[in-house]
């Protein structure tokens, strides 16, 4: 749908998301504000989304694009499990998503998202993807969205090798709070925190 001035209407998520590799799992965190231009569209947006029992995605970018990708990935991973009698690896899921994103560059508009794909197979893993399908595995941590420069500053100064889950959760929350303080597009009523271990995914809400 095109507006009268010829521009595409945009719904985007002004966002800060964080992913941290811990000794026994992955910690993801995200604030909950969603913006539409200069208007706050939601204070309760969900930006951490499981796509399998051992893999989750954090979302930064256009909300509609992200929702379509989540539906696509959930269907593809279910088909993979049925056909192969096993769950896909985290790298396999991230590679599939990278291929989907890359294919979008030949259409009218690519998927306007920046994503973290995180999970646990033989160890905790974090992959980051941009709108054109660039794929990188992160060994320590990463942050996406408009508040990521502030969050990365906290992570760079405080992250330690072998950090445990509880320490990782505290660090992730601190990084998100730092971004919320300085990034006008990040905020909301709470911070969502997901812990992914060999036992699965647990998501909790932390009031701010």
């Amino acid at each position: 749908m095109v507006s009268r001035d010829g521009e595409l209407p945009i719904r985007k998520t002004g966002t800060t998301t964080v992913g941290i590799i811990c000794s026994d799992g992955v910690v993801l965190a995200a604030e909950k504000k969603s913006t539409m231009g200069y208007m706050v569209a939601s204070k309760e947006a969900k930006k951490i989304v499981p796509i399998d029992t051992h893999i989750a995605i954090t979302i930064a970018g256009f909300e509609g694009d992200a929702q379509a990708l989540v539906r696509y990935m959930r269907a593809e991973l279910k088909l993979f499990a049925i056909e192969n009698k096993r769950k896909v690896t985290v790298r396999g899921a991230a590679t599939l998503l990278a291929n989907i994103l890359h294919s979008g560059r030949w259409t009218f508009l690519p998927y306007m998202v920046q994503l973290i794909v995180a999970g646990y197979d033989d160890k905790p893993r974090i992959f980051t993807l941009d709108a054109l399908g660039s794929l990188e595995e992160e060994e320590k941590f990463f942050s996406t969205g408009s508040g990521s420069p502030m969050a990365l500053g906290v992570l760079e100064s405080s992250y330690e090798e072998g950090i445990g889950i509880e320490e990782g959760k505290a660090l992730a929350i601190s990084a998100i709070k730092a971004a919320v303080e300085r990034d006008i597009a990040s905020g909301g009523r709470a911070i969502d925190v997901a812990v992914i271990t060999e036992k699965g995914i647990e998501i909790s809400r932390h009031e701010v």
Side-chain angles (χ1 to χ4, degrees):
M1 180 179 176
V2 179
S3 61
R4 291 183 180 179
D5 59 5
E7 294 183 357
L8 289 171
I10 295 174
R11 174 154 186 180
K12 60 183 180 180
T13 54
T15 299
T16 308
T17 79
V18 165
I20 301 174
I21 293 286
C22 299
S23 58
D24 46 355
V26 177
V27 172
L28 301 174
E31 45 70 52
K32 298 178 70 67
K33 180 192 283 186
S34 175
T35 60
M36 187 182 298
Y38 292 104
M39 185 181 76
V40 176
S42 174
K43 298 178 183 178
E44 292 290 342
K46 293 182 179 179
K47 301 177 185 179
I48 303 174
V49 185
I51 56 172
D52 206 328
T53 58
H54 63 305
I55 303 172
I57 291 176
T58 72
I59 296 167
F62 288 10
E63 187 175 346
D65 285 357
Q67 290 175 352
L69 289 167
V70 166
R71 291 192 296 268
Y72 198 159
M73 288 298 297
R74 283 175 172 170
E76 289 292 336
L77 297 193
K78 285 181 181 179
L79 286 173
F80 180 94
I82 292 170
E83 293 173 356
N84 296 276
K85 311 300 182 186
R86 63 180 177 87
K87 293 185 180 296
V88 70
T89 64
V90 184
R91 178 179 290 277
T95 301
L96 172 60
L97 184 52
N99 290 338
I100 295 169
L101 290 168
H102 187 264
S103 68
R105 67 182 301 211
W106 305 113
T107 61
F108 177 60
L109 280 176
Y111 293 99
M112 299 303 294
V113 293
Q114 186 183 19
L115 307 172
I116 296 174
V117 176
Y120 194 107
D121 37 42
D122 59 330
K123 67 176 186 178
R125 297 182 186 275
I126 288 175
F127 294 87
T128 58
L129 302 95
D130 66 13
L132 297 182
S134 174
L135 177 65
E136 297 287 343
E137 183 167 12
E138 307 296 335
E139 297 297 327
K140 297 180 180 180
F141 54 78
F142 200 73
S143 179
T144 66
S146 54
S148 60
M150 285 70 78
L152 285 169
V154 174
L155 296 173
E156 288 283 2
S157 64
S158 302
Y159 180 84
E160 296 179 359
E161 295 286 351
I163 189 172
I165 289 291
E166 291 305 315
E167 294 84 357
K169 288 168 64 176
L171 177 56
I173 291 171
S174 294
I176 296 293
K177 284 183 175 179
V180 168
E181 288 293 327
R182 290 292 179 179
D183 176 41
I184 194 170
S186 298
R189 296 190 176 98
I191 297 171
D192 286 334
V193 177
V195 175
I196 309 174
T197 66
E198 58 184 351
K199 296 180 180 179
I201 302 172
E202 181 180 343
I203 300 177
S204 57
R205 175 188 174 97
H206 298 260
E207 302 294 333
V208 294

